Amino acid sequence: MIVEANIILKEKALIEQLKTAGKLAVAFSGGVDSTYLLYKAHEVLGDGALAVTVKSSVLTADEFADTVAFCKQIGVKQVVIDFDVFAVEEFAANPPDRCYYCKKKIFESVKSVAEANGISTVADGSNIDDDGDYRPGMRAIKELGIVSPLKLSGLTKNDIRALSREAELPTWDMPSAACLASRFAYGEKITEEGLKRVGAAEKVIKDLGFKGIRVRVHGDIARIEASPSDIAHMMEDSMRTKISTELKQLGFRYVTIDIDGYRMGSMNEVLK
C-alpha cells in the first residue's frame, strides 16, 4: 500500500515530537490510535517508551488481553493499573460530563505511574477527528498537561489506519472502540452488572459476524446500532430471532435495531 505524501509528512512531524519528548508514557487501551502511537513511540524511543494500561470494568477482557499480547509482540514494557471506576462518584451517576471526572482520575493514576518510572510526559491517542464530537474528557486531558501527539501532528483516523496498515499492525482495520460506559443514556445509573450485560450483548452480535456495532442502553431497551449495510442481514428472520433471544436472556426486555445505523457519539445527540 502506498501512503499519500501528506500523510508521510504528518508522520514525520509525529516522529519529531517523539524525539523531543525523549521518554514517553502512552496511555494504551489497544484501540487503533493508541496502538499506532505506542508502536511509533517504541520504534523511535526504544526503552524510553512505556505502555500504561488501565484495567477496569469499562474495558472488556478480550480488549485487555489484546493490549498484553501487543506489548509482548513489539517488546515494550507495560504497566497495568487496576482501577475501580465506581470509586469515581460521578461515574455511576452518569451525568453528561461523566467522562471528565473519570478521565481526570484515570490520568492522574497514569501520571503517577509515569513519574515512578522516571517519565515526565504522558500521551494519549486523541487524533484530529476527535475535535468533532462532544468529549468532556478532553478538558481533563488539558488540565493535567497530557499531550496528544497524533492530534498535534494533524493525523486523522483514516491517516492512522493507513499508516497502521503499512506497518502491518493488527488494529489497522479494527472498528472504532469506546468505553462501555458510553453505551448508557445520560442520567441512567451505571452498574457493574449493566456494564457486563452490555459487553456480553455486543459480544453476541460480534460473534455472529457483525463489526462496528454498539448496543445502546435505555432502561430495559437494547438499541442496536450497526453499519447501514449490515442492517438488512441483521433483520433476516433467523438472525433477528437469534439476536433478540440471546439479548433477552441477558436481561433486556426489548431489543431494537436503529435504522439510522452506527454513528459516533449518538448518545450526545440529546445535547444538541
Side-chain angles (χ1 to χ4, degrees), residues 205 208 210 213 222-244 255-261:
I205 301 171
L208 290 171
F210 297 97
I213 61 96
R223 175 172 59 86
I224 302 169
E225 293 180 10
S227 169
S229 61
D230 284 336
I231 291 176
H233 178 39
M234 193 174 280
M235 285 296 294
E236 292 172 1
D237 284 350
S238 60
M239 185 65 70
R240 177 173 53 80
T241 299
K242 184 171 183 60
I243 292 172
S244 177
V255 178
T256 69
I257 296 175
D258 188 328
I259 62 174
D260 286 332

Side-chain angles (χ1 to χ4, degrees), residues 30-37 157 160-161 164 171-172 174-176:
V32 177
D33 302 323
S34 66
T35 295
Y36 175 70
L37 177 59
K157 175 73 79 173
I160 294 163
R161 289 191 187 280
S164 297
T171 50
W172 77 268
M174 173 189 286
S176 296

Side-chain angles (χ1 to χ4, degrees), residues 15 41 47 49 72 74 80 85 97 122-123 140 171 174 176 198 207 219 251 270:
I15 290 170
D47 291 341
K72 288 181 178 178
I74 67 172
V80 177
V85 289
D97 59 350
V122 174
T171 50
M174 173 189 286
S176 296
V198 76
D207 286 349
V270 298

Side-chain angles (χ1 to χ4, degrees), residues 48-263:
L50 174 71
V52 184
T53 300
V54 177
K55 185 180 181 184
S56 73
S57 302
V58 298
L59 188 71
T60 69
D62 288 346
E63 288 170 337
F64 174 70
D66 287 344
T67 71
V68 175
F70 183 75
C71 289
K72 288 181 178 178
Q73 177 188 330
I74 67 172
V76 68
K77 179 181 177 182
Q78 181 184 34
V79 176
V80 177
I81 300 173
D82 284 308
F83 185 81
D84 179 11
V85 289
F86 291 99
V88 181
E89 182 180 346
E90 294 84 0
F91 177 80
N94 194 23
D97 59 350
R98 174 203 70 242
C99 192
Y100 166 74
Y101 298 101
C102 199
K103 282 267 194 194
K104 190 154 190 181
K105 291 294 184 183
I106 284 174
F107 274 93
E108 284 174 349
S109 298
V110 174
K111 285 188 71 171
S112 294
V113 166
E115 290 167 3
N117 282 269
I119 300 175
S120 59
T121 306
V122 174
D124 82 323
S126 299
N127 65 67
I128 203 75
D129 292 337
D130 291 326
D131 287 338
D133 188 26
Y134 171 68
R135 292 178 180 268
M138 297 308 297
R139 178 157 59 99
I141 296 294
K142 184 176 181 180
E143 289 176 359
L144 293 171
I146 308 302
V147 299
S148 303
L150 301 177
K151 181 188 291 188
L152 291 172
S153 302
L155 287 162
T156 66
K157 175 73 79 173
N158 285 338
D159 293 340
I160 294 163
R161 289 191 187 280
L163 291 168
S164 297
R165 185 176 185 180
E166 183 187 46
E168 299 182 345
L169 300 182
T171 50
W172 77 268
D173 63 345
M174 173 189 286
S176 296
C179 161
L180 286 176
S182 67
R183 313 305 198 259
F184 294 80
Y186 292 127
E188 181 164 333
K189 186 176 181 181
I190 299 175
T191 65
E192 186 82 44
E193 179 185 4
L195 291 170
K196 290 179 179 177
R197 180 186 298 121
V198 76
E202 291 191 351
K203 187 175 189 307
V204 164
I205 301 171
K206 289 174 182 176
D207 286 349
L208 290 171
F210 297 97
K211 292 184 177 181
I213 61 96
R214 294 285 188 272
V215 174
R216 309 290 190 185
V217 181
H218 303 263
D220 55 6
I221 300 172
R223 175 172 59 86
I224 302 169
E225 293 180 10
S227 169
S229 61
D230 284 336
I231 291 176
H233 178 39
M234 193 174 280
M235 285 296 294
E236 292 172 1
D237 284 350
S238 60
M239 185 65 70
R240 177 173 53 80
T241 299
K242 184 171 183 60
I243 292 172
S244 177
T245 299
E246 296 210 27
L247 266 60
K248 286 178 179 177
Q249 287 176 350
L250 290 172
F252 291 106
R253 184 179 297 273
Y254 305 103
V255 178
T256 69
I257 296 175
D258 188 328
I259 62 174
D260 286 332
Y262 168 71
R263 60 269 188 207

